[in-house]
Each structure stands twice: as C-alpha cells, then as structure tokens.
Amino acid sequence: LKRAFGNDEGNLYELTVADFTPENRNGFELKTNTKKNDQSDLDRVVSALALPDELFVDALAQVFDLDELITFWAMEVIVGHWDGMTGDKNNTFLYHNPDDDLFHAIPWGTDGAFNAEHPFIPNVPDSVYAYNTLSSRLYGIPEMREIYHNRLRSLLRDVWDEERIIAQFQSIVAQTDGDLTN
C-alpha cells in the first residue's frame, strides 16, 4: 500500500461476495486498522448508491476516481475475470487512501480469468459484468454506459496486445512443459 499509494494507513478491505448495500456490507473484510475497526468509509458509497441517478455520479466521484473505476471494470471484462468485483462481487481488494480520500480497487484471485464463460451465471454478455450494485447503477446511466463502452474500445485498441500475450503464454508453457489447452 505504501509503495502503490504512498500511504498505508487507510482501510484495506477484501471483498468476499460483498456489495455496497446495507444487507451485503458484511462481505467487506477489513484487513488493516482492525483494532480501530471503523468501516464508516463504506457508508459513503452506500449513501451515494441510494441517490437518484441525477445525483449519483457526482456523489460517487467523491468516493471513487471514476476514470480509474471504469478502467478497472473494463479490464475485468477484457481479461474475463468473472470472479472479481463486477462479475461476482468477489476477489478484489478495496483500499480507502487517506491522501485522496478515495477508494481504489485492486484485483486479486484472478485464477478464473481468461475463462470462456461465467460458471454461475450462464449466457451473460461477454462485454458487461455488472453484477454488483455499483457497476449495475453505472451501466444503467446512458452517459456512463457510453464512457464504459468507449473505455473498452480504447483499452482493446491501445493496451491489449494479443500477440504479446500469446507469446508470454507460450514462454510459460515452454518453461513449465505445460499445455495451453488445459
């Protein structure tokens, strides 16, 4: 946290089937500051989600860097990380950085990535994981949906390098005598 954010004093949460709703807040497991155990920072997100659409995005921008959040969401979709925050409300760390007073999502548990389909929710669109309240609300707002689609396109155009990824996989297979088909 210190290396990535310059400050390791904020709350770090592990999402284990967690959502920003009053009934699913207990899925946020506090990993730092456990003696103090002040999780009121999560209430700011829950409160933003309770607002009508015309107020929601501005309120959410007070607790998340929206550009970073949409990029995180789009990358979960691109790599097929169905078991992450937006695909399964799971396998993500969330850090509330006291320096900028914003939450930042950190992927982990990506062993389900690069999977052809979501094992628990069949026939879902491959281009949208909007199973948590946050991504579902954002996707339901036409302007935010357009920003999300534009981010997907720009990441696929400017960041995703299929040839390089395949070469890295082949290198791993060569080093481990593995089989890419399994």
Side-chain angles (χ1 to χ4, degrees):
L1 296 175
K2 185 86 166 164
R3 180 182 53 80
F5 298 102
N7 187 330
D8 61 359
E9 296 177 14
N11 284 348
L12 178 69
Y13 298 94
E14 177 183 344
L15 280 68
T16 307
V17 191
D19 205 349
F20 294 103
T21 60
E23 60 275 5
N24 290 314
R25 248 195 77 209
N26 60 350
F28 291 91
E29 183 182 342
L30 187 61
K31 295 295 192 177
T32 59
N33 305 317
T34 55
K35 288 185 180 173
K36 187 176 179 186
N37 198 26
D38 178 8
Q39 299 182 28
S40 61
D41 50 358
L42 293 172
D43 293 332
R44 294 173 52 212
V45 184
V46 173
S47 295
L49 282 161
L51 295 170
D53 286 353
E54 60 271 9
L55 301 174
F56 166 63
V57 175
D58 287 338
L60 188 62
Q62 301 301 308
V63 291
F64 273 97
D65 176 329
L66 290 181
D67 184 62
E68 179 182 280
L69 178 63
I70 291 170
T71 300
F72 177 87
W73 175 18
M75 283 307 300
E76 280 198 328
V77 169
I78 288 171
V79 301
H81 184 35
W82 62 266
D83 199 20
M85 182 170 78
T86 62
D88 200 34
K89 307 175 200 172
N90 201 31
N91 282 344
T92 303
F93 283 103
L94 199 62
Y95 182 58
H96 180 228
N97 186 351
D99 286 346
D100 62 10
D101 198 27
L102 297 173
F103 280 103
H104 302 272
I106 306 166
W108 79 276
T110 57
D111 56 313
F114 298 101
N115 197 340
E117 57 185 60
H118 195 300
F120 303 123
I121 307 171
N123 304 317
V124 298
D126 292 334
S127 61
V128 181
Y129 289 157
Y131 302 111
N132 71 352
T133 306
L134 192 58
S135 57
S136 179
R137 276 294 298 280
L138 287 169
Y139 198 76
I141 299 169
E143 298 83 11
M144 298 308 296
R145 183 171 49 248
E146 183 177 346
I147 290 169
Y148 167 75
H149 287 149
N150 287 337
R151 184 62 41 81
L152 276 174
R153 283 190 283 275
S154 71
L155 288 168
L156 287 168
R157 181 187 63 239
D158 302 332
V159 176
W160 187 259
D161 184 344
E162 185 173 337
E163 287 180 18
R164 190 171 131 248
I165 292 168
I166 290 172
Q168 287 176 327
F169 281 139
Q170 290 170 338
S171 173
I172 291 168
V173 168
Q175 294 173 37
T176 62
D177 291 327
D179 181 356
L180 282 180
T181 62
N182 292 331

